[in-house]
Amino acid sequence: MTVPAFSAAPLPGTPFIAYRHGQLMVEDVALADLARQHGTPLFVYSQAAILSALSAYQRGLAGRQALICYAMKANSSLALLKLLADAGCGFDIVSGGELDRALAVGTSPKKIVFSGVGKTRHEMQRALQVGIGCFNVESMAELDVLNQVAVDCGQTAPISIRVNPNVDAKTHPYISTGLTGNKFGIAHHHALHAYRHAASLPGLRVVGIDCHIGSQITESAPYLEAMDRVLDLVSAIEAEGIALAHIDFGGGLGIDYDGDTPPTADALWTQLLARLDTRGFGQRQLLIEPGRSLVGNAGVCVTEVLYLKPGEQKNFCIVDAAMNDLPRPALYQAFHRIEPVQQPASALEPMVYDVVGPVCESGDWLARDRTLAAAQGDWLAVLSAGAYCMSMASNYNTRARAAELLVTGDQARLIRRRETIDDVLRTESALG
Ligand code: LLP
């Protein structure tokens, strides 16, 4: 049988990660060279891919008053944050830790919005002190606590209420957030009441409204539906004399993992802006909170094949990356393409494998039933690994977290060194 030397099909999502002469390249750097130099598992990101994803949003929103607040939970590595801040982005944060990351890269606090259902008093105080742009409040109880914290600090907190529009984003249940059964936001039919309450509190200043319906959304229909429902509310709230300076439509746009066809950011926003214009809100200040669609397709994780283990029911390809490095398959049964880093030197028999890591759980898999021509010692690249991989990595099984590199043209810069076991053990004590 002739073995395909390497995948001839185009790789998902970005032209900046592609094969050249049998070598998988990130921009002008061969991943094999990086794996040799830095070891594996190794995350590698393309700066051009990130900036080109951002420019699709910037094109779509050109001429409007719009702020792109990158949802850093997708990938909060400081170098990526700095890149996006320098390109004009603000940030959507969900913890005090993320606030410190945003400040560490010199973001203006005014460009920060703080989302999340469980903000602590301490996090609120600190965000007030530094003067963030907006708290995206998710419950009546949070409104009251934030009011109290602000009054105690002698400040007024700028707020938006996250409205749950009860729209089905048609995505994985764990990452669908805009349905009545989800923990997020205040129900659409309670929102007017919540705004009245917020407007009556001395420590709060209403500045906007927000929603976020889910993640990895691949159609525009749910966005249009959510937009209509939010705009209905804006009219009702403003009819009561409560002005909303901005409307925040959240994030959620999907990426191509394996033949997914989400609209491009500029196509989506052309459609959404047309709807906003029709409804008379086209000049309103807009905020959006994209995460995955800015970084997801811009990164790969390189891993080494440790062992091939043929079995009676399954063949296993055991690699050195695991669910602690790439938790998405174990958590959401997510699909990531896996491709060889370099063209196999000799014809190998392709086999159907489950690609699994060294963690001691049957749930530790990266791919199931994949046809691969792989040999022990080969490097494989897990594609579309720029979002929700490194930021969700853990030390499970006392595995140190991977290193990260950012490629620009023919330069690769180390943006996070590989963790050592000393790093991992540093916060613990053995008592006696
Ligand atoms: N804004 C809010 C309030 C959010 O909750 C999220 C994501 C975003 C923005 C950014 O959404 P994106 O543009 O990245 O879809 N770990 C999961 C995804 C969780 C998303 C949580 N919220 C995964 O790996 O698929």
Side-chain angles (χ1 to χ4, degrees):
M1 185 197 298
T2 342
V3 179
F6 55 92
S7 166
L11 300 180
T14 175
F16 297 101
I17 300 174
Y19 284 100
R20 221 179 286 159
H21 310 297
Q23 292 284 332
L24 188 52
M25 311 285 292
V26 173
E27 300 189 24
D28 297 327
V29 179
L31 280 173
D33 291 338
L34 298 180
R36 206 170 288 118
Q37 197 183 337
H38 296 274
T40 53
L42 179 69
F43 283 91
V44 184
Y45 310 112
S46 155
Q47 174 164 318
I50 297 172
L51 292 179
S52 120
L54 176 63
S55 67
Y57 278 100
Q58 289 168 331
R59 272 196 308 277
L61 293 163
R64 308 289 173 143
Q65 284 193 71
L67 178 64
I68 300 168
C69 292
Y70 168 58
M72 72 161 77
K73 62 172 81 66
N75 188 322
S76 54
S77 297
L78 289 175
L80 270 51
L81 301 185
K82 178 81 168 69
L83 179 68
L84 289 165
D86 288 350
C89 290
F91 294 107
D92 170 50
I93 61 163
V94 289
S95 71
E98 289 195 345
L99 175 59
D100 283 331
R101 285 186 178 272
L103 297 175
V105 297
T107 317
S108 157
K110 291 278 165 272
K111 289 167 109 177
I112 299 175
V113 297
F114 192 170
S115 303
V117 296
K119 303 174 192 77
T120 65
R121 282 167 202 264
H122 178 71
E123 287 173 325
M124 289 172 176
Q125 267 161 12
R126 173 128 170 78
L128 270 173
Q129 265 163 16
V130 303
I132 65 160
C134 190
F135 290 85
N136 290 351
V137 176
E138 305 228 12
S139 64
M140 296 298 278
E142 186 189 336
L143 279 177
D144 290 331
V145 170
L146 180 57
N147 173 58
Q148 197 58 59
V149 171
V151 168
D152 291 348
C153 302
Q155 298 211 27
T156 52
I159 68 121
S160 154
I161 291 180
R162 176 168 176 182
V163 174
N164 183 335
N166 196 21
V167 165
D168 186 356
K170 301 197 176 66
T171 182
H172 191 284
Y174 282 14
I175 53 177
S176 167
T177 55
L179 283 167
T180 306
N182 299 133
K183 70 177 174 181
F184 298 99
I186 290 185
H188 191 268
H189 56 280
H190 285 143
L192 187 56
H193 168 67
Y195 269 99
R196 284 189 198 121
H197 182 56
S200 76
L201 295 172
L204 305 185
R205 179 165 40 93
V206 174
V207 295
I209 187 165
D210 67 286
C211 80
H212 171 82
I213 55 174
S215 196
Q216 186 54 16
I217 301 169
T218 53
E219 297 167 32
S220 25
Y223 279 104
L224 286 161
E225 208 185 321
M227 175 173 273
D228 274 333
R229 291 181 64 78
V230 169
L231 295 182
D232 292 346
L233 262 178
V234 173
S235 304
I237 294 161
E238 295 199 325
E240 303 220 352
I242 303 169
L244 299 172
H246 76 247
I247 309 178
D248 175 347
F249 289 105
L253 182 59
I255 60 169
D256 177 12
Y257 284 101
D258 185 44
D260 306 284
T261 52
T264 59
D266 41 347
L268 175 69
W269 274 96
T270 304
Q271 245 184 311
L272 292 173
L273 289 172
R275 180 69 61 98
L276 271 179
D277 288 341
T278 311
R279 297 204 46 179
F281 293 98
Q283 293 316 308
R284 194 67 61 119
Q285 190 188 359
L286 304 176
L287 262 62
I288 56 168
E289 304 168 358
R292 186 192 319 262
S293 51
L294 290 178
V295 294
N297 282 139
V300 301
C301 179
V302 183
T303 183
E304 183 183 330
V305 176
L306 298 176
Y307 303 102
L308 294 175
K309 185 174 177 185
E312 277 173 31
Q313 290 184 4
K314 288 254 176 197
N315 301 313
F316 294 102
C317 172
I318 302 171
V319 297
D320 68 356
M323 66 189 286
N324 72 299
D325 305 294
L326 288 151
R328 303 192 69 256
L331 271 176
Y332 320 113
Q333 295 78 50
F335 183 99
H336 285 262
R337 273 191 44 182
I338 298 187
E339 300 291 342
V341 159
Q342 39 193 356
Q343 177 175 10
S346 56
L348 284 167
E349 187 66 25
M351 300 227 305
V352 177
Y353 292 103
D354 276 11
V355 180
V356 300
V359 162
C360 294
E361 295 216 20
S362 296
D364 179 29
W365 57 275
L366 304 183
R368 285 191 163 146
D369 299 324
R370 296 291 173 84
T371 304
L372 285 175
Q376 194 169 323
D378 281 358
W379 290 304
L380 300 175
V382 181
L383 305 185
S384 310
Y388 302 113
C389 291
M390 192 60 182
S391 61
M392 298 208 304
S394 77
N395 294 119
Y396 188 37
N397 279 205
T398 308
R399 288 169 53 84
R401 279 175 300 178
E404 292 181 299
L405 299 169
L406 181 62
V407 170
T408 318
D410 60 4
Q411 299 291 314
R413 284 170 296 169
L414 185 67
I415 60 169
R416 185 197 300 253
R417 69 161 169 79
R418 188 173 300 286
E419 217 170 26
T420 63
I421 296 302
D422 281 347
D423 293 331
V424 178
L425 298 185
R426 202 173 45 206
T427 53
E428 300 180 35
S429 52
L431 288 182

